[in-house]
Amino acid sequence: MFGRVRGWRRGWHERTKLQRIDLYTRGTLAGLPWVFLVSWGLLPLLPVLGEGPARAGLAVAFFAVNTALCVLSNRDLGAAFAHHRGTEPFPMGRLRLPAALLALLTGLMVALAATADLKDAGLALLVLDMPLAFAIPYVLLVPVRTYLVHSAGYAVVLVALLAAVGVPAGLLFGAVLSMLVAILLVLSSVRPSAWSMSVMWQAEEARDMQARLAVAEERLRFGRDMHDVLGRNLSVIALKSELAVELAQRGNPAAVDQMVEVQRIARASQQEVRDVVRGYREADLPTELMGARGVLQAAGISVTVEGADGPAGIGAPAAVQAALGWVVRETATNVLRHGDPRHCSIRLTRTRGAVVLEVENDGAGAADPLGGGGDGGGSGLAGLSERLGALGGSLTSGPVGDDPDLFRVTATVPLTASGPGGRTASDPGGRTASAGGEHATGDEHATGVERAALGERTASGERATPSAPPASPSPAPSALPEER
């Protein structure tokens, strides 16, 4: 029992806010006919149960048919919602059985009015409850004008039948008022609720489409950048390679110069591609803080950011800011995905040799805000740990104290942490894993065999005469200039 309750609670927290509103709206409309069944549809029948077997049988039959109609109403409500939103057509054949039950229910009520001693309020309540179960899904399937015309026709038939069995004029007037209230109640509650949900789902779909368009636009931009970087250089490489082949076939030593130039352009292109990818992947800390604040506030979560303008924020080295920017991006995303937070605080502090970022939110409950637990089991945490590990940093997460509802993620990045190549985070010339995951320059990819075969260029760009192989097995670094 408790496990099932926890499962329901977990399922509720895993839903988005829009999905929760949708579930609440559908549940309310589904429960509406049942509330009226056990109140307005049952209380007037209780006195009739003591008036003899025939009248008691009519009352029991009336309640049983009304219950079956409520069951069919709940069955058809989801499909009626989908039909109203235009996502799936409703099979109108499914209305035949509810319509037949409504006709049978009407006949039973007329029989009760003719034989049983219904009180004035009892008849009015039965008339008020009787059409609700059928009308709730039906109002979503037809236009408002059609619904009103059909409801008016049904009301006329019902009043005529009641008048035919001798119901007094005062009770007939009460029945007419009850039918009018029932018609307007369904129209004013169900249609606006369905319209509101349709608008919210359309807005959600529009946001999804906007996100997809933004991704497609970014892909196009990245493709344009890559074309601008590589298009010209590849054309030059092709031309110079063809020229080198022709010169080599003629035995002209200038072919070596052409291939050295091809090598230089290839290395320059390689570095330019790295620069493009690095700029594409980098996460800027001020931008990420601003984006996290906007996204969380748009989701109804209050946000406080401390220390962004101080030495731990914009005053931190670029590599540290980039690494912490990824932490802000990942934690803000997962705060939205998990739990039901109401407040999120982001604090940046600077100790003697490190920058510390803390992201704390409430509403965690049984759900892990990062989806991976405190041990870093999630893929997002693993990626963050790798990025911070490249700078010698660390990442911890877990509940705050004994309060399971409060969750905190702490990222620590040393200011003097060195990445590959011995560069420190504060060295502007260093390349870190947080930027793009690349550390080696184009010159570091050239082998000693290539340098010995092609020779080395001096700073002036003239080709030097190849010398004998060096005594050391490690070749000297290439002095080829690179295009910037």
Side-chain angles (χ1 to χ4, degrees):
M1 180 64 181
F2 291 105
R4 182 176 299 179
V5 172
R6 284 195 295 267
W8 290 341
R9 184 174 182 271
R10 188 181 304 110
W12 173 261
H13 284 297
E14 289 175 354
R15 294 175 182 268
T16 63
K17 292 186 182 297
L18 181 56
Q19 289 174 338
R20 295 177 189 177
I21 295 174
D22 183 85
L23 180 61
Y24 173 79
T25 302
R26 292 171 185 262
T28 301
L29 295 180
L32 192 63
W34 295 99
V35 173
F36 291 145
L37 173 66
V38 298
S39 56
W40 299 346
L42 178 61
L43 295 179
L45 299 177
L46 295 179
V48 181
L49 297 177
E51 296 182 5
R55 297 175 182 178
L58 288 176
V60 172
F62 181 90
F63 186 79
V65 173
N66 202 357
T67 302
L69 199 56
C70 291
V71 173
L72 294 178
S73 175
N74 289 169
R75 181 201 67 176
D76 296 336
L77 184 60
F81 258 102
H83 179 89
H84 184 74
R85 287 181 54 198
T87 58
E88 184 179 350
F90 183 87
M92 290 299 178
R94 294 174 64 174
L95 289 178
R96 294 173 184 172
L97 182 58
L101 291 180
L102 179 62
L104 177 60
L105 194 66
T106 304
L108 291 172
M109 197 199 67
V110 172
L112 284 171
T115 60
D117 185 18
L118 291 175
K119 304 300 181 181
D120 296 350
L123 180 62
L125 290 178
L126 289 179
V127 172
L128 184 62
D129 169 67
M130 187 172 55
L132 288 178
F134 179 84
I136 287 176
Y138 186 70
V139 74
L140 299 175
L141 301 176
V142 296
V144 175
R145 182 177 179 179
T146 303
Y147 168 76
L148 292 176
V149 171
H150 291 176
S151 298
Y154 175 75
V156 170
V157 172
L158 177 62
V159 172
L161 291 175
L162 291 176
V165 297
V167 175
L171 292 181
L172 288 178
F173 181 73
V176 171
L177 290 181
S178 297
M179 182 60 63
L180 180 62
V181 170
I183 294 172
L184 295 180
L185 176 65
V186 172
L187 183 62
S188 61
S189 60
V190 179
R191 291 284 295 201
S193 299
W195 175 79
S196 300
M197 291 307 308
S198 298
V199 171
M200 285 190 286
W201 278 114
Q202 290 173 3
E204 182 72 11
E205 293 169 358
R207 282 193 292 268
D208 292 341
M209 180 62 67
Q210 185 179 11
R212 287 194 293 268
L213 291 176
V215 172
E217 183 179 356
E218 185 64 14
R219 287 174 178 170
L220 290 175
R221 184 200 68 79
F222 185 69
R224 288 194 301 267
D225 290 347
M226 293 296 292
H227 177 271
D228 294 341
V229 168
L230 294 179
R232 168 189 167 276
N233 290 352
L234 290 177
S235 299
V236 174
I237 288 174
L239 291 175
K240 287 187 173 292
S241 299
E242 293 176 2
L243 178 59
V245 170
E246 293 180 1
L247 292 176
Q249 289 174 348
R250 297 174 186 175
N252 193 330
V256 178
D257 290 332
Q258 296 298 324
M259 290 309 299
V260 170
E261 185 68 13
V262 168
Q263 183 192 41
R264 184 189 67 81
I265 297 174
R267 289 177 178 173
S269 300
Q270 187 181 38
Q271 184 58 44
E272 289 176 359
V273 169
R274 288 197 183 106
D275 292 339
V276 171
V277 174
R278 181 175 298 114
Y280 182 73
R281 292 180 180 176
E282 273 194 1
D284 179 63
L285 179 58
T287 303
E288 294 299 331
L289 287 172
M290 185 181 302
R293 182 198 296 268
V295 170
L296 294 176
Q297 287 179 346
I301 304 171
S302 62
V303 183
T304 57
V305 179
E306 302 175 7
D309 298 331
I314 59 176
V320 175
Q321 289 194 44
L324 295 180
W326 281 103
V327 178
V328 172
R329 178 184 299 183
E330 182 69 21
T331 52
T333 300
N334 286 284
V335 165
L336 291 173
R337 287 181 180 176
H338 305 279
D340 188 16
R342 295 176 299 276
H343 178 73
C344 178
S345 63
I346 302 174
R347 291 185 294 272
L348 281 162
T349 57
R350 184 168 179 172
T351 61
R352 177 174 300 180
V355 175
V356 180
L357 169 67
E358 291 183 347
V359 181
E360 186 177 297
N361 67 277
D362 59 1
D368 185 342
L370 289 180
D375 57 352
S379 59
L381 281 177
L384 292 177
S385 299
E386 291 176 2
R387 291 182 182 276
L388 298 184
L391 295 176
S394 62
L395 182 73
T396 60
S397 62
V400 179
D402 297 330
D403 186 3
D405 196 56
L406 200 60
F407 200 90
R408 179 186 297 162
V409 178
T410 304
T412 304
V413 181
L415 294 172
T416 58
S418 60
R423 302 293 187 118
T424 63
S426 59
D427 183 0
R431 297 192 181 100
T432 65
S434 63
E438 300 292 337
H439 307 281
T441 63
D443 292 339
E444 292 169 351
H445 287 280
T447 65
V449 176
E450 292 172 341
R451 296 189 180 105
L454 296 178
E456 297 180 354
R457 282 187 176 269
T458 62
S460 61
E462 295 297 327
R463 177 172 177 264
T465 303
S467 58
S472 173
S474 301
S478 173
L480 292 176
E482 295 182 356
E483 281 188 347
R484 292 290 180 182

